[in-house]
Amino acid sequence: MKSRIVLLGPPGAGKGTQAEILEKELGFTKLSTGDMLREEIRNKTELGEKAKIYVESGNLVPDEIVIEMIKKRIRDISGAILFDGYPRTVKQADALAHITDIDLAINIDVKDEVLINRIAKRLMCPKCGAVYHLVNKPPRKDWVCDKCSTNLYQRDDDREETVVNRLKVYRQNTLPLINYYSERNKLVVIDGNKGTIHNIFERIRVALEN
Ligand code: ADP
């Protein structure tokens, strides 16, 4: 089984949702730079205050900041790691290659129309990072997290104007990572347009076992 994996894909592709399942079912530790940054912003730390303007406008936080964040967290983890939302630039991918060997990058491929619809109906748990969708994956109780009973919220950067910028930033900075991992024979592409959440997870599991 592969033990160091990267989840790639545009905003709204389902990376966070699949990361949660991979963590629960296969014992990965999830490292999500998006979750880490949102927590820093919520706690009004120095790093959070610096990152806020980038996150809220849908732009990327400078490489140095996220690379440092990942380096710090990775030190305490011994088992299998799943990177969600990192790397997002070639510079971040190079930095990661110096920290650890990556076994596989999984690109969840989803069309723009589907992404925009998903993001507009997305709900999140501020405490445990669980992701919901008003139609495709509603919480059992309205606006309350199934796992930790915290009130759910809609992310500030999920507003339509910001989403359009996030997609543009994704194409410019993150799309090149598909070639980056493909050239290193580490890329698997999963069609995330169709199939249930569970079905997509099963396809990821197969890729991890091969
Ligand atoms: P999504 O994949 O849905 O766009 P994330 O939760 O991964 O959302 O990220 C939200 C925001 O946090 C990004 O738009 C960006 O501002 C910032 N961010 C997250 N990860 C990184 C990263 N690796 N490098 C730079 N900025 C990041």
Side-chain angles (χ1 to χ4, degrees), residues 37-57 59-66 68-69 72:
L37 289 167
R38 279 186 288 277
E39 196 185 331
E40 300 276 354
I41 293 172
R42 221 173 15 250
N43 294 335
K44 297 194 162 47
T45 62
E46 198 182 324
L47 195 155
E49 293 294 305
K50 262 192 224 157
K52 195 173 164 153
I53 179 165
Y54 300 101
V55 173
E56 288 185 353
S57 55
N59 291 311
L60 293 184
V61 171
D63 287 332
E64 302 72 47
I65 297 184
V66 280
E68 261 324 295
M69 236 169 44
K72 252 192 222 157

Side-chain angles (χ1 to χ4, degrees), residues 19-180:
E20 263 178 65
I21 308 179
L22 285 157
E23 199 170 39
K24 194 165 139 226
E25 301 286 325
L26 304 180
F28 280 91
T29 300
K30 166 180 82 157
L31 285 186
S32 159
T33 42
D35 285 350
M36 292 179 205
L37 289 167
R38 279 186 288 277
E39 196 185 331
E40 300 276 354
I41 293 172
R42 221 173 15 250
N43 294 335
K44 297 194 162 47
T45 62
E46 198 182 324
L47 195 155
E49 293 294 305
K50 262 192 224 157
K52 195 173 164 153
I53 179 165
Y54 300 101
V55 173
E56 288 185 353
S57 55
N59 291 311
L60 293 184
V61 171
D63 287 332
E64 302 72 47
I65 297 184
V66 280
I67 291 171
E68 261 324 295
M69 236 169 44
I70 285 286
K71 273 191 188 160
K72 252 192 222 157
R73 294 283 176 115
I74 210 172
R75 277 188 219 134
D76 314 324
I77 305 168
S78 49
I81 305 182
L82 171 69
F83 296 92
D84 163 22
Y86 182 96
R88 257 182 162 86
T89 62
V90 169
K91 194 166 166 200
Q92 292 180 19
D94 281 337
L96 184 60
H98 281 99
I99 306 171
T100 184
D101 283 331
I102 293 299
D103 297 317
L104 194 70
I106 298 171
N107 180 41
I108 308 181
D109 191 31
V110 179
K111 289 188 296 228
D112 281 9
E113 309 93 83
V114 179
L115 296 173
I116 290 170
N117 166 281
R118 283 192 195 163
I119 294 175
K121 297 197 170 66
R122 169 155 78 176
L123 302 179
M124 263 201 92
C125 175
K127 190 161 171 220
C128 72
V131 190
Y132 299 87
H133 183 278
L134 283 169
V135 181
N136 302 342
K137 192 193 172 208
R140 282 195 292 270
K141 197 171 155 208
D142 277 356
W143 292 84
V144 174
C145 181
D146 291 352
K147 293 190 182 144
C148 69
S149 302
T150 306
N151 283 335
L152 302 174
Y153 78 118
Q154 239 163 347
R155 275 168 46 179
D156 288 341
D157 63 339
D158 280 352
R159 289 185 310 265
E160 201 173 333
E161 324 83 80
T162 317
V163 172
V164 171
N165 189 41
R166 277 161 60 203
L167 286 171
K168 194 174 118 213
V169 168
Y170 168 78
R171 280 193 208 96
Q172 267 171 8
N173 300 282
T174 311
L175 207 54
L177 293 181
I178 293 179
N179 272 338
Y180 181 99

